[in-house]
Amino acid sequence: MKKKPIILGIESSCDETAASIIQENDQGIPIILSNIVSSQVNVHKEFGGVVPELAARSHIEKIDLITKKAINESNIKLEDIDAVAATAGPGLIVCLSVGLSFGKAMAYSLNKPFIAVNHLEGHALSPKLDSKLNYPYLLLLISGGHTQFLSVQGLGKYKRLGTTIDDAVGEAFDKTAKLIGIEFPGGPQIEVYAKKGNPNKYKLPKPIINRGGCNLSFAGLKTAVLKISKQVKNKQEKYDLAASFQKTIEEILVKKSKVAFKEFKNINKKNNNNIFVVAGGVAANKRIRETLKKLSDKEKFKAIFPPINLCSDNAAMIAVVGLEKYKEKTFSNLNFSPKPRWPLDEKANFLKGAGVKL
Ligand code: KG4
Ligand code: ZN
């Protein structure tokens, strides 16, 4: 029987150095043979955010060891690798360059195809690591740098339905955490605080909630949290603010998802299998998962989430895109440059900053 393809994935777009080996099984499901992620939390903690130069330096120090570990743990031989896939964008250019160059060098030395991967497509396809997922599907991508609704028509075929016009949801979580006094990276801790708080204590704004289709906005919410955080004195009030903030995010996502459901159905009229994928770092939030699952059940969409450990940045999701492209024989040249900005839907308008008309 013909050996199933084995892909090495490499990720270094922000502050995680990651490498993974995956192989497709007989049912066509990609199996993770190894998935190594080295986080740089300790490097950036004292600065309260990611410092690009330090992140790049840390990637340089670790990328070869992390890749070696991924290959060793997978129990494959180096020469068994059929293709090397590396993140080429979007992200911090100094960080992208490290993984991209390393991936190209690996492919060249092994004499195997090289595949440049869009990090966002990695998130988009991440549920394939444990579910069978057919096109088309509606995608809500919620990460630290992006918040978008997309209709995924096929591999590399995206139609953006809505996007944030200012901050990303993950960014709003991180900024709220900082204002409450939670150490970097605070986003995931908001969920922990919120469990102990009263979600109805503070009333927070929901910008553009009734207009702009399924476009979203979070900047006004951050300003409101800033004001309230100045009056917050004790731990319980911090819990209450975290709970109120998280509830507001849930309400915004529910309202906008309903609009996106309609738009998705409109452009996929012949499709009778409505699937709603929620992916990206914020999809690890259990409350948000539950709320969007409930909504999907009500609206007759099947909700699919990646496993929690595959929501945040990893290289297995990069390898999955590599596998799909390998099967289509879509390979990249070794002169592929890093792309700090690389939208999934290249035709969609840039919708950020002052003067945006919705
Ligand atoms: O996808 P990701 O790992 O990196 C990007 O591509 O941006 O997403 C990171 C973001 C951060 O903003 C982080 O605070 C947020 O995901 N995040 C969460 C949770 N876990 C990670 N936000 C809310 N609740 C969580 N449990
Ligand atoms: Zn990401």
Side-chain angles (χ1 to χ4, degrees):
M1 202 167 74
K2 200 170 167 279
K3 168 181 153 291
K4 292 283 179 187
I6 295 181
I7 311 291
L8 164 64
I10 293 172
E11 157 64 34
S12 73
S13 64
C14 190
D15 59 343
E16 255 103 29
T17 318
S20 168
I21 301 277
I22 66 161
Q23 182 173 31
E24 195 176 57
N25 71 6
D26 293 337
Q27 286 75 46
I29 306 250
I31 301 298
I32 299 176
L33 302 182
S34 66
N35 186 26
I36 312 293
V37 182
S38 169
S39 165
Q40 302 175 359
V41 168
N42 290 332
V43 176
H44 305 291
K45 208 174 220 165
E46 64 177 296
F47 305 99
V50 176
V51 184
E53 279 300 318
L54 295 182
R57 195 184 297 189
S58 182
H59 286 310
I60 292 167
E61 282 166 6
K62 288 193 196 138
I63 191 93
D64 49 353
L65 289 174
I66 295 295
T67 307
K68 201 172 169 187
K69 204 167 171 202
I71 293 164
N72 285 346
E73 273 195 18
S74 69
N75 283 325
I76 60 145
K77 290 195 282 309
L78 199 54
E79 54 271 27
D80 293 336
I81 293 171
D82 293 292
V84 181
T87 303
L92 300 165
I93 191 157
V94 283
C95 296
L96 290 166
S97 303
V98 178
L100 183 60
S101 304
F102 189 83
K104 287 177 188 173
M106 285 285 295
Y108 182 75
S109 63
L110 293 169
N111 198 21
K112 292 288 155 74
F114 172 70
I115 300 162
V117 173
N118 183 317
H119 176 88
L120 304 176
E121 186 152 45
H123 281 301
L125 267 52
S126 58
K128 288 194 180 231
L129 286 160
D130 81 339
S131 324
K132 197 129 183 102
L133 184 59
N134 295 323
Y135 303 111
Y137 58 88
L138 174 65
L139 168 69
L140 169 59
L141 176 64
I142 37 179
S143 71
H146 296 85
T147 300
Q148 296 182 350
F149 286 102
L150 296 134
S151 179
V152 186
Q153 309 301 125
L155 181 64
K157 295 192 184 88
Y158 295 86
K159 187 168 174 15
R160 196 188 74 196
L161 308 178
T163 184
T164 176
I165 58 165
D166 40 56
D167 293 351
V169 186
E171 204 178 343
F173 266 91
D174 295 335
K175 285 178 178 166
T176 297
K178 211 171 183 173
L179 291 169
I180 293 181
I182 302 173
E183 227 181 28
F184 169 84
Q189 274 302 108
I190 289 284
E191 187 177 7
V192 179
Y193 272 47
K195 267 196 199 134
K196 303 177 205 162
N198 170 8
N200 302 315
K201 172 85 178 272
Y202 301 106
K203 186 143 179 57
L204 296 167
K206 292 175 222 157
I208 67 165
I209 194 77
N210 291 317
R211 61 187 179 94
C214 59
N215 289 302
L216 312 104
S217 167
F218 300 98
L221 179 56
K222 175 185 66 192
T223 313
V225 170
L226 170 68
K227 273 192 200 145
I228 297 169
S229 68
K230 288 184 179 148
Q231 288 134 36
V232 160
K233 289 181 196 69
N234 56 45
K235 203 91 191 181
Q236 188 56 50
E237 284 176 340
K238 287 186 181 185
Y239 296 151
D240 294 342
L241 184 51
S244 304
F245 165 80
Q246 190 174 270
K247 181 182 158 232
T248 308
I249 294 283
E250 282 168 48
E251 288 170 354
I252 294 172
L253 293 180
V254 164
K255 184 86 196 257
K256 293 294 180 174
S257 296
K258 276 190 199 166
V259 180
F261 286 168
K262 270 200 196 119
E263 292 191 16
F264 175 81
K265 283 201 257 186
N266 248 336
I267 59 171
N268 294 289
K269 287 210 171 84
K270 286 191 190 132
N271 171 54
N272 46 21
N273 182 24
N274 291 323
I275 293 170
F276 182 38
V277 167
V278 185
V282 184
N285 185 295
K286 293 204 186 74
R287 275 292 313 199
I288 291 179
R289 288 168 93 100
E290 277 162 27
T291 307
L292 293 177
K293 164 88 175 65
K294 244 185 240 163
L295 171 77
S296 306
D297 290 348
K298 213 166 111 197
E299 302 274 331
K300 311 237 166 349
F301 268 73
K302 181 175 183 229
I304 297 184
F305 306 90
I308 296 225
N309 67 320
L310 296 175
C311 286
S312 53
D313 292 349
N314 64 83
M317 68 184 196
I318 304 303
V320 167
V321 180
L323 177 62
E324 297 255 314
K325 290 197 172 186
Y326 178 82
K327 290 196 285 185
E328 279 196 351
K329 295 198 168 31
T330 306
F331 305 135
S332 312
N333 289 328
L334 289 179
N335 63 359
F336 197 103
S337 299
K339 291 179 164 197
R341 188 176 172 273
W342 188 1
L344 284 175
D345 178 357
E346 308 247 14
K347 290 198 198 111
N349 292 335
F350 189 63
L351 266 195
K352 254 185 182 175
V356 164
K357 289 202 176 60
L358 294 172

